[in-house]
Amino acid sequence: MNDALLTTSLGDMPLTARGKVRDLYAVGEELLFIATDRISAFDHVLGSGIPDKGRILTQLSHFWFDLLADTVPNHLLAKPSESLLAKIAPYRAQTDGRSMIVRRAEMFPVECVVRGYISGSGWKDYLATGSVCGIELPQGLRESERLAEPIFTPAAKINTGGHDENISYQTMVETIGAEYAAELKRLTLAIYAKAAAHAASKGLILADTKFEFGLVEGKIVLADEVLTPDSSRYWPAASYAPGGPQPSFDKQYVRDYLESIHWNKQAPAPALPDAVIERTREKYLEAFRLITGRAGIDVSGG
Ligand code: Q0Z
């Protein structure tokens, strides 16, 4: 098996952003989005990567962009020019199967989160206040319970590695304007409905997910990665049991290992044993196979 790709370096290509997992480069007018094999847990990037994770998540994003194409336009560049492809050709070992060439968008400074189930920060806020992002919820909900209707719970992006902050819809309106807020909310709920129905048909619950949108030539596009396990909570429907947290579909072996060694959750994050890496890789592949119906990922191209 090929080793995990942990860091990219593309000569003098300008690095626009480096996230916990993805690296974004400027290539002329366009952007090159590379999903590395880095994995985070408990808010830290771990010392080991998961081989092919970036390919699996990139190809899963592609699947969803295609499935959603009649619901929302996206930031993928339809046909990269020969000159653009020539610029990145020297770096194919770092990009094949794990990169997307995307159009530069003016990003909305809001994470568009949708929850069909009450979990994570939504559960924390509900316990503290009875509501999430100003949306009052019925009393007596159990952790991980299905909501009567999916709710739109926007968050403000916090750049400095911190957690995004849940905000009210009114705050979103004040940040980006009423018309854009309404359209992003509508799109977020429509995308979730379509994606959750597809996931359900494959035996998966899409508990929640988050989208980022931007403007390209004045039109709203779905950007970033979409509906990957890094941006979404997937639960196997067969073992769903409200009344507590659900095991993570993809990262549970990682979390269990990190708990077992009593890591203090301060940098530097530990490396993972080979067995944990291999079992986790299989979970990402299992998610990919279930959702796409394909046997496996492509290792070249993209
Ligand atoms: C996405 C991010 C990543 C770190 C900027 N189409 C676009 N146009 C302009 N900007 C972005 C996009 Cl997707 C954009 N991010 C999030 C991605 C590494 C942060 F790969 N930041």
Side-chain angles (χ1 to χ4, degrees), residues 4 21-22 35-40 49-59 98 225 229-230 250-251 280-281 284 297:
V21 172
R22 279 102 29 81
T36 70
D37 295 332
R38 297 193 292 264
I39 183 172
S40 68
I50 307 297
D52 289 331
K53 172 173 179 275
R55 289 193 173 107
I56 298 165
L57 270 55
T58 296
Q59 292 173 39
R98 62 171 73 249
E225 63 175 352
D230 277 4
D250 47 311
K251 289 184 181 170
T280 301
R281 181 174 181 276
Y284 283 107
I297 56 163

Side-chain angles (χ1 to χ4, degrees), residues 216-232:
V216 173
E217 292 172 2
K219 297 274 199 310
I220 296 173
V221 297
L222 181 58
D224 212 86
E225 63 175 352
V226 284
L227 294 157
T228 68
D230 277 4
S231 68
S232 317

